[in-house]
Amino acid sequence: MYPRGEATATGYSVAYVDSFIHHGGSDDRGMSYFVYQKSFDEGIVPSNWKEANVSPIFKKGKRTDAENYRPVSLTCVPCKVMESIVRDFLLAFLEGQDILSKFQHGFTKGRSCLTNLLETLETWTRLLDDGYGIDVIYLDYKKAFDTVSHEKLREKLRPYRITGKMLEWITEFLQNRIMRVGVHGSFSEWVAVLSGIPRGQC
């Protein structure tokens, strides 16, 4: 199953990896294989995979201010598994083609905010030792994850040769999503998700 990125003239191609699922009994593996493969091949995402219960996680400040909470989207387990499969192969493809910048630390294996900070401090220290001054400008995009345009995101993927079935699946994954907020067992009404991407705790 499962998409594996390969560089081709026509863009993002798909190879099938039959031995991907190693856990569970043979029946479990077969059923999981069938569901995920069918979802990817046909570009179909079950409606319950598009539902998210949003749990507000307090950051800092006044607890009565909604702006001081980070929304964490809780989706069903099969959806999370499929997301992980797609993410892993997309990252492998982007890294294999040297598409990602060497300065990219977020959402990449073996890198994090900490590695970003360590490299930055090393650079600053070297410059100071060489007698240079340093001016730093910090930028923070407010609600960056919540305001991502689905259409613009799809158009951003095309130049990186992410097309075909992969792009079709991502497009379907983003369409017709709904969410509700849950606090202590009480839930809001379902509302349509018109922009943004699901945000888990990872």
Side-chain angles (χ1 to χ4, degrees), residues 106-121:
F107 310 104
T108 54
K109 187 176 181 180
R111 293 187 147 202
S112 64
C113 294
L114 179 58
T115 59
N116 184 19
L117 179 60
L118 291 174
E119 285 190 12
T120 300
L121 287 175

mmCIF file with all atom_site columns, all heavy atoms in Angstrom, residues 106-121:
data_model
loop_
_atom_site.group_PDB
_atom_site.id
_atom_site.type_symbol
_atom_site.label_atom_id
_atom_site.label_alt_id
_atom_site.label_comp_id
_atom_site.label_asym_id
_atom_site.label_entity_id
_atom_site.label_seq_id
_atom_site.pdbx_PDB_ins_code
_atom_site.Cartn_x
_atom_site.Cartn_y
_atom_site.Cartn_z
_atom_site.occupancy
_atom_site.B_iso_or_equiv
_atom_site.pdbx_formal_charge
_atom_site.auth_seq_id
_atom_site.auth_comp_id
_atom_site.auth_asym_id
_atom_site.auth_atom_id
_atom_site.pdbx_PDB_model_num
ATOM 1   N N   . GLY A 1 106 ? 11.040 22.814 12.158 1.00 0.00 ? 106 GLY A N   1
ATOM 2   C CA  . GLY A 1 106 ? 9.741  22.334 12.596 1.00 0.00 ? 106 GLY A CA  1
ATOM 3   C C   . GLY A 1 106 ? 9.236  21.190 11.743 1.00 0.00 ? 106 GLY A C   1
ATOM 4   O O   . GLY A 1 106 ? 9.431  21.165 10.530 1.00 0.00 ? 106 GLY A O   1
ATOM 5   N N   . PHE A 1 107 ? 8.610  20.189 12.398 1.00 0.00 ? 107 PHE A N   1
ATOM 6   C CA  . PHE A 1 107 ? 7.923  19.094 11.701 1.00 0.00 ? 107 PHE A CA  1
ATOM 7   C C   . PHE A 1 107 ? 8.856  18.248 10.849 1.00 0.00 ? 107 PHE A C   1
ATOM 8   O O   . PHE A 1 107 ? 8.446  17.687 9.840  1.00 0.00 ? 107 PHE A O   1
ATOM 9   C CB  . PHE A 1 107 ? 6.781  19.641 10.836 1.00 0.00 ? 107 PHE A CB  1
ATOM 10  C CG  . PHE A 1 107 ? 5.875  20.573 11.568 1.00 0.00 ? 107 PHE A CG  1
ATOM 11  C CD1 . PHE A 1 107 ? 5.955  21.944 11.365 1.00 0.00 ? 107 PHE A CD1 1
ATOM 12  C CD2 . PHE A 1 107 ? 4.961  20.099 12.493 1.00 0.00 ? 107 PHE A CD2 1
ATOM 13  C CE1 . PHE A 1 107 ? 5.132  22.820 12.058 1.00 0.00 ? 107 PHE A CE1 1
ATOM 14  C CE2 . PHE A 1 107 ? 4.142  20.963 13.191 1.00 0.00 ? 107 PHE A CE2 1
ATOM 15  C CZ  . PHE A 1 107 ? 4.235  22.325 12.977 1.00 0.00 ? 107 PHE A CZ  1
ATOM 16  N N   . THR A 1 108 ? 10.126 18.170 11.218 1.00 0.00 ? 108 THR A N   1
ATOM 17  C CA  . THR A 1 108 ? 11.069 17.309 10.518 1.00 0.00 ? 108 THR A CA  1
ATOM 18  C C   . THR A 1 108 ? 11.758 16.397 11.520 1.00 0.00 ? 108 THR A C   1
ATOM 19  O O   . THR A 1 108 ? 12.002 16.780 12.666 1.00 0.00 ? 108 THR A O   1
ATOM 20  C CB  . THR A 1 108 ? 12.137 18.125 9.761  1.00 0.00 ? 108 THR A CB  1
ATOM 21  O OG1 . THR A 1 108 ? 12.767 19.037 10.669 1.00 0.00 ? 108 THR A OG1 1
ATOM 22  C CG2 . THR A 1 108 ? 11.511 18.910 8.623  1.00 0.00 ? 108 THR A CG2 1
ATOM 23  N N   . LYS A 1 109 ? 12.074 15.179 11.084 1.00 0.00 ? 109 LYS A N   1
ATOM 24  C CA  . LYS A 1 109 ? 12.650 14.173 11.963 1.00 0.00 ? 109 LYS A CA  1
ATOM 25  C C   . LYS A 1 109 ? 14.020 14.611 12.480 1.00 0.00 ? 109 LYS A C   1
ATOM 26  O O   . LYS A 1 109 ? 14.872 15.051 11.708 1.00 0.00 ? 109 LYS A O   1
ATOM 27  C CB  . LYS A 1 109 ? 12.776 12.846 11.212 1.00 0.00 ? 109 LYS A CB  1
ATOM 28  C CG  . LYS A 1 109 ? 13.223 11.683 12.100 1.00 0.00 ? 109 LYS A CG  1
ATOM 29  C CD  . LYS A 1 109 ? 13.239 10.389 11.315 1.00 0.00 ? 109 LYS A CD  1
ATOM 30  C CE  . LYS A 1 109 ? 13.659 9.223  12.201 1.00 0.00 ? 109 LYS A CE  1
ATOM 31  N NZ  . LYS A 1 109 ? 13.677 7.945  11.440 1.00 0.00 ? 109 LYS A NZ  1
ATOM 32  N N   . GLY A 1 110 ? 14.212 14.478 13.793 1.00 0.00 ? 110 GLY A N   1
ATOM 33  C CA  . GLY A 1 110 ? 15.491 14.797 14.394 1.00 0.00 ? 110 GLY A CA  1
ATOM 34  C C   . GLY A 1 110 ? 15.726 16.277 14.618 1.00 0.00 ? 110 GLY A C   1
ATOM 35  O O   . GLY A 1 110 ? 16.818 16.678 15.048 1.00 0.00 ? 110 GLY A O   1
ATOM 36  N N   . ARG A 1 111 ? 14.714 17.096 14.319 1.00 0.00 ? 111 ARG A N   1
ATOM 37  C CA  . ARG A 1 111 ? 14.853 18.531 14.510 1.00 0.00 ? 111 ARG A CA  1
ATOM 38  C C   . ARG A 1 111 ? 13.662 19.056 15.287 1.00 0.00 ? 111 ARG A C   1
ATOM 39  O O   . ARG A 1 111 ? 12.593 18.454 15.295 1.00 0.00 ? 111 ARG A O   1
ATOM 40  C CB  . ARG A 1 111 ? 14.962 19.253 13.164 1.00 0.00 ? 111 ARG A CB  1
ATOM 41  C CG  . ARG A 1 111 ? 16.247 18.920 12.424 1.00 0.00 ? 111 ARG A CG  1
ATOM 42  C CD  . ARG A 1 111 ? 16.398 19.776 11.177 1.00 0.00 ? 111 ARG A CD  1
ATOM 43  N NE  . ARG A 1 111 ? 17.798 20.060 10.921 1.00 0.00 ? 111 ARG A NE  1
ATOM 44  C CZ  . ARG A 1 111 ? 18.225 21.083 10.199 1.00 0.00 ? 111 ARG A CZ  1
ATOM 45  N NH1 . ARG A 1 111 ? 17.356 21.923 9.677  1.00 0.00 ? 111 ARG A NH1 1
ATOM 46  N NH2 . ARG A 1 111 ? 19.512 21.276 10.004 1.00 0.00 ? 111 ARG A NH2 1
ATOM 47  N N   . SER A 1 112 ? 13.855 20.213 15.925 1.00 0.00 ? 112 SER A N   1
ATOM 48  C CA  . SER A 1 112 ? 12.793 20.768 16.752 1.00 0.00 ? 112 SER A CA  1
ATOM 49  C C   . SER A 1 112 ? 13.092 22.228 17.032 1.00 0.00 ? 112 SER A C   1
ATOM 50  O O   . SER A 1 112 ? 14.078 22.789 16.530 1.00 0.00 ? 112 SER A O   1
ATOM 51  C CB  . SER A 1 112 ? 12.708 19.999 18.072 1.00 0.00 ? 112 SER A CB  1
ATOM 52  O OG  . SER A 1 112 ? 13.914 20.184 18.816 1.00 0.00 ? 112 SER A OG  1
ATOM 53  N N   . CYS A 1 113 ? 12.263 22.845 17.859 1.00 0.00 ? 113 CYS A N   1
ATOM 54  C CA  . CYS A 1 113 ? 12.519 24.216 18.296 1.00 0.00 ? 113 CYS A CA  1
ATOM 55  C C   . CYS A 1 113 ? 13.859 24.304 19.022 1.00 0.00 ? 113 CYS A C   1
ATOM 56  O O   . CYS A 1 113 ? 14.562 25.316 18.925 1.00 0.00 ? 113 CYS A O   1
ATOM 57  C CB  . CYS A 1 113 ? 11.391 24.703 19.208 1.00 0.00 ? 113 CYS A CB  1
ATOM 58  S SG  . CYS A 1 113 ? 9.792  24.864 18.398 1.00 0.00 ? 113 CYS A SG  1
ATOM 59  N N   . LEU A 1 114 ? 14.215 23.216 19.735 1.00 0.00 ? 114 LEU A N   1
ATOM 60  C CA  . LEU A 1 114 ? 15.469 23.219 20.482 1.00 0.00 ? 114 LEU A CA  1
ATOM 61  C C   . LEU A 1 114 ? 16.675 23.255 19.544 1.00 0.00 ? 114 LEU A C   1
ATOM 62  O O   . LEU A 1 114 ? 17.622 24.020 19.775 1.00 0.00 ? 114 LEU A O   1
ATOM 63  C CB  . LEU A 1 114 ? 15.540 21.985 21.379 1.00 0.00 ? 114 LEU A CB  1
ATOM 64  C CG  . LEU A 1 114 ? 16.823 21.830 22.206 1.00 0.00 ? 114 LEU A CG  1
ATOM 65  C CD1 . LEU A 1 114 ? 17.041 23.037 23.110 1.00 0.00 ? 114 LEU A CD1 1
ATOM 66  C CD2 . LEU A 1 114 ? 16.773 20.537 23.026 1.00 0.00 ? 114 LEU A CD2 1
ATOM 67  N N   . THR A 1 115 ? 16.666 22.435 18.497 1.00 0.00 ? 115 THR A N   1
ATOM 68  C CA  . THR A 1 115 ? 17.794 22.445 17.560 1.00 0.00 ? 115 THR A CA  1
ATOM 69  C C   . THR A 1 115 ? 17.890 23.788 16.853 1.00 0.00 ? 115 THR A C   1
ATOM 70  O O   . THR A 1 115 ? 18.985 24.272 16.572 1.00 0.00 ? 115 THR A O   1
ATOM 71  C CB  . THR A 1 115 ? 17.664 21.317 16.528 1.00 0.00 ? 115 THR A CB  1
ATOM 72  O OG1 . THR A 1 115 ? 16.425 21.464 15.791 1.00 0.00 ? 115 THR A OG1 1
ATOM 73  C CG2 . THR A 1 115 ? 17.670 19.950 17.197 1.00 0.00 ? 115 THR A CG2 1
ATOM 74  N N   . ASN A 1 116 ? 16.742 24.397 16.574 1.00 0.00 ? 116 ASN A N   1
ATOM 75  C CA  . ASN A 1 116 ? 16.731 25.728 15.960 1.00 0.00 ? 116 ASN A CA  1
ATOM 76  C C   . ASN A 1 116 ? 17.404 26.744 16.876 1.00 0.00 ? 116 ASN A C   1
ATOM 77  O O   . ASN A 1 116 ? 18.240 27.547 16.454 1.00 0.00 ? 116 ASN A O   1
ATOM 78  C CB  . ASN A 1 116 ? 15.290 26.141 15.661 1.00 0.00 ? 116 ASN A CB  1
ATOM 79  C CG  . ASN A 1 116 ? 15.210 27.469 14.925 1.00 0.00 ? 116 ASN A CG  1
ATOM 80  O OD1 . ASN A 1 116 ? 16.180 27.934 14.337 1.00 0.00 ? 116 ASN A OD1 1
ATOM 81  N ND2 . ASN A 1 116 ? 14.064 28.096 14.983 1.00 0.00 ? 116 ASN A ND2 1
ATOM 82  N N   . LEU A 1 117 ? 17.053 26.682 18.161 1.00 0.00 ? 117 LEU A N   1
ATOM 83  C CA  . LEU A 1 117 ? 17.620 27.600 19.143 1.00 0.00 ? 117 LEU A CA  1
ATOM 84  C C   . LEU A 1 117 ? 19.126 27.390 19.299 1.00 0.00 ? 117 LEU A C   1
ATOM 85  O O   . LEU A 1 117 ? 19.908 28.357 19.342 1.00 0.00 ? 117 LEU A O   1
ATOM 86  C CB  . LEU A 1 117 ? 16.926 27.413 20.492 1.00 0.00 ? 117 LEU A CB  1
ATOM 87  C CG  . LEU A 1 117 ? 17.423 28.286 21.650 1.00 0.00 ? 117 LEU A CG  1
ATOM 88  C CD1 . LEU A 1 117 ? 17.251 29.761 21.318 1.00 0.00 ? 117 LEU A CD1 1
ATOM 89  C CD2 . LEU A 1 117 ? 16.678 27.941 22.928 1.00 0.00 ? 117 LEU A CD2 1
ATOM 90  N N   . LEU A 1 118 ? 19.567 26.128 19.351 1.00 0.00 ? 118 LEU A N   1
ATOM 91  C CA  . LEU A 1 118 ? 20.982 25.832 19.514 1.00 0.00 ? 118 LEU A CA  1
ATOM 92  C C   . LEU A 1 118 ? 21.806 26.329 18.330 1.00 0.00 ? 118 LEU A C   1
ATOM 93  O O   . LEU A 1 118 ? 22.882 26.916 18.509 1.00 0.00 ? 118 LEU A O   1
ATOM 94  C CB  . LEU A 1 118 ? 21.178 24.323 19.696 1.00 0.00 ? 118 LEU A CB  1
ATOM 95  C CG  . LEU A 1 118 ? 20.665 23.724 21.009 1.00 0.00 ? 118 LEU A CG  1
ATOM 96  C CD1 . LEU A 1 118 ? 20.782 22.215 20.989 1.00 0.00 ? 118 LEU A CD1 1
ATOM 97  C CD2 . LEU A 1 118 ? 21.421 24.306 22.194 1.00 0.00 ? 118 LEU A CD2 1
ATOM 98  N N   . GLU A 1 119 ? 21.311 26.128 17.114 1.00 0.00 ? 119 GLU A N   1
ATOM 99  C CA  . GLU A 1 119 ? 22.030 26.593 15.929 1.00 0.00 ? 119 GLU A CA  1
ATOM 100 C C   . GLU A 1 119 ? 22.080 28.121 15.894 1.00 0.00 ? 119 GLU A C   1
ATOM 101 O O   . GLU A 1 119 ? 23.097 28.712 15.522 1.00 0.00 ? 119 GLU A O   1
ATOM 102 C CB  . GLU A 1 119 ? 21.369 26.061 14.659 1.00 0.00 ? 119 GLU A CB  1
ATOM 103 C CG  . GLU A 1 119 ? 21.637 24.597 14.402 1.00 0.00 ? 119 GLU A CG  1
ATOM 104 C CD  . GLU A 1 119 ? 21.184 24.167 13.023 1.00 0.00 ? 119 GLU A CD  1
ATOM 105 O OE1 . GLU A 1 119 ? 20.872 25.044 12.175 1.00 0.00 ? 119 GLU A OE1 1
ATOM 106 O OE2 . GLU A 1 119 ? 21.132 22.946 12.775 1.00 0.00 ? 119 GLU A OE2 1
ATOM 107 N N   . THR A 1 120 ? 20.957 28.747 16.288 1.00 0.00 ? 120 THR A N   1
ATOM 108 C CA  . THR A 1 120 ? 20.910 30.208 16.290 1.00 0.00 ? 120 THR A CA  1
ATOM 109 C C   . THR A 1 120 ? 21.898 30.784 17.302 1.00 0.00 ? 120 THR A C   1
ATOM 110 O O   . THR A 1 120 ? 22.650 31.724 16.997 1.00 0.00 ? 120 THR A O   1
ATOM 111 C CB  . THR A 1 120 ? 19.490 30.690 16.622 1.00 0.00 ? 120 THR A CB  1
ATOM 112 O OG1 . THR A 1 120 ? 18.583 30.184 15.640 1.00 0.00 ? 120 THR A OG1 1
ATOM 113 C CG2 . THR A 1 120 ? 19.425 32.213 16.617 1.00 0.00 ? 120 THR A CG2 1
ATOM 114 N N   . LEU A 1 121 ? 21.932 30.205 18.507 1.00 0.00 ? 121 LEU A N   1
ATOM 115 C CA  . LEU A 1 121 ? 22.851 30.678 19.540 1.00 0.00 ? 121 LEU A CA  1
ATOM 116 C C   . LEU A 1 121 ? 24.300 30.488 19.110 1.00 0.00 ? 121 LEU A C   1
ATOM 117 O O   . LEU A 1 121 ? 25.165 31.328 19.396 1.00 0.00 ? 121 LEU A O   1
ATOM 118 C CB  . LEU A 1 121 ? 22.584 29.941 20.851 1.00 0.00 ? 121 LEU A CB  1
ATOM 119 C CG  . LEU A 1 121 ? 21.308 30.335 21.596 1.00 0.00 ? 121 LEU A CG  1
ATOM 120 C CD1 . LEU A 1 121 ? 21.108 29.444 22.816 1.00 0.00 ? 121 LEU A CD1 1
ATOM 121 C CD2 . LEU A 1 121 ? 21.350 31.800 22.021 1.00 0.00 ? 121 LEU A CD2 1
#
